Amino acid sequence: MTFMGALGAVKPIFIKYYGFSDAERHALHTLFRLSESHRVVYAPWTAESPEAPHVVLIDGDSWEATLALANPLHDSFKLAWVGAGAPAGAWRVFASPVKWSALIEAMDEAFLPVTATALSLHLDLAHDADLDVHFDGNDDTAPMALKGVSPAAARRVLVVDAGRDERLYLRAKLSSAGLHEVDEAASGAEALELLRGSVYQLVIVDLGLTDMDSWQLLKAMDGMRPKTPHLFVTGSMQSWGQGARAWLSGAEVYLKKPLDPEKLKILLQNI
């Protein structure tokens, strides 16, 4: 079994996992799918896989954890443990609930050949030049719809981008899609102030904010109630992991700049 990765045909890194909720397994399989055209390809291990798993991933809170640890065949594999009570020989231990981006970063570090690192990073930039990540609407971890919010309030949109021209462009596209109630924020601080005082149907956040790490803003949004029903993230993708991280932050879509007008039009019409 091979995939066409950023370095050409590559063999996948097989992950055998135990436990986890349906939503967590959905997230994990989404990451497998996203990795298929990038520098390191990850795939779920099954009995039909052509080789042994490279990593055994265990949910420490599951009943399967005890059975997995008792299997002597697993002693030769890298053990990634999620939760408390990790065995002494664990390769990596992650807090629960697991941050999938941290797991992928750890595996990239372990499995990306050192001699290929510079070339891989260069090819990632070239390969991702045309990549937009659009996540389907069946994700169990996606933001929930608002309840008890008036239709008028729910039609509001917040655009968070340090670039004035970018904000004006998005405002025009939103208007053409029938979304006329638009607030703008040039910084993360402005966005947080607006988010505390208003309810938005859609928030578009660019990763190029200058006053704070945009991921911090997305994390703060994730803790707000009620949740924003729709979240788009824009930016100049540096690696496939950035799109995956956007999804893990609750985004439905990662749009690569410069934005594709037709793709944006279709997405906005579906709001």
Side-chain angles (χ1 to χ4, degrees), residues 147-167:
K147 295 182 180 180
V149 178
S150 69
R155 293 291 291 177
R156 296 188 68 84
V157 179
L158 174 61
V159 175
V160 187
D161 197 307
R164 179 176 178 274
D165 290 344
E166 299 284 353
R167 297 197 306 273

Side-chain angles (χ1 to χ4, degrees), residues 111-255:
F111 295 110
L112 180 66
V114 175
T115 55
T117 300
L119 175 61
S120 173
L121 292 175
H122 172 76
L123 289 175
D124 263 355
L125 293 174
H127 176 80
D128 288 336
D130 298 321
L131 178 63
D132 286 342
V133 182
H134 184 194
F135 304 107
D136 62 48
N138 297 320
D139 170 27
D140 292 331
T141 64
M144 296 180 295
L146 294 177
K147 295 182 180 180
V149 178
S150 69
R155 293 291 291 177
R156 296 188 68 84
V157 179
L158 174 61
V159 175
V160 187
D161 197 307
R164 179 176 178 274
D165 290 344
E166 299 284 353
R167 297 197 306 273
L168 290 175
Y169 174 80
L170 284 170
R171 179 183 280 273
K173 291 299 181 182
L174 288 162
S175 179
S176 67
L179 297 166
H180 305 291
E181 298 295 322
V182 181
D183 291 337
E184 299 179 21
S187 67
E190 290 180 22
L192 285 173
E193 185 175 350
L194 289 167
L195 286 163
R196 292 187 187 104
S198 300
V199 174
Y200 294 97
Q201 182 188 24
L202 166 66
V203 176
I204 304 176
V205 177
D206 184 64
L207 295 181
L209 299 180
T210 56
D211 68 319
M212 71 165 58
D213 186 334
S214 300
W215 300 112
Q216 292 180 335
L217 174 60
L218 293 173
K219 183 177 181 180
M221 287 180 57
D222 187 54
M224 292 182 172
R225 297 292 184 271
K227 282 185 174 292
T228 300
H230 301 284
L231 172 63
F232 292 0
V233 171
T234 66
S236 299
M237 183 176 280
Q238 304 269 321
S239 72
W240 79 275
Q242 188 159 290
R245 189 177 182 184
W247 175 74
L248 290 167
S249 298
E252 296 171 79
V253 178
Y254 180 102
L255 291 172

Side-chain angles (χ1 to χ4, degrees), residues 1 12-16 43-54:
M1 179 185 296
I13 301 299
F14 287 107
I15 314 298
K16 185 177 183 180
W45 183 90
T46 67
E48 288 74 37
S49 296
E51 56 187 298
H54 300 82

Side-chain angles (χ1 to χ4, degrees), residues 20-119:
F20 301 104
S21 67
D22 289 342
E24 288 171 326
R25 291 188 176 208
H26 181 85
L28 185 57
H29 278 263
T30 298
L31 289 178
F32 290 152
R33 200 164 62 245
L34 287 171
S35 76
E36 288 179 0
S37 59
H38 294 79
R39 52 184 177 169
V40 185
V41 176
Y42 300 103
W45 183 90
T46 67
E48 288 74 37
S49 296
E51 56 187 298
H54 300 82
V55 174
V56 175
L57 176 63
I58 298 179
D59 174 8
D61 294 328
S62 67
W63 63 268
E64 294 102 328
T66 302
L67 296 178
L69 288 178
N71 187 342
L73 295 176
H74 292 163
D75 294 343
S76 59
F77 306 140
K78 293 183 184 296
L79 171 61
W81 184 275
V82 177
W91 167 65
R92 290 287 189 277
V93 178
F94 302 92
S96 181
V98 62
K99 296 292 185 183
W100 297 115
S101 56
L103 172 66
I104 293 297
E105 287 171 6
M107 293 196 298
D108 276 354
E109 182 180 337
F111 295 110
L112 180 66
V114 175
T115 55
T117 300
L119 175 61

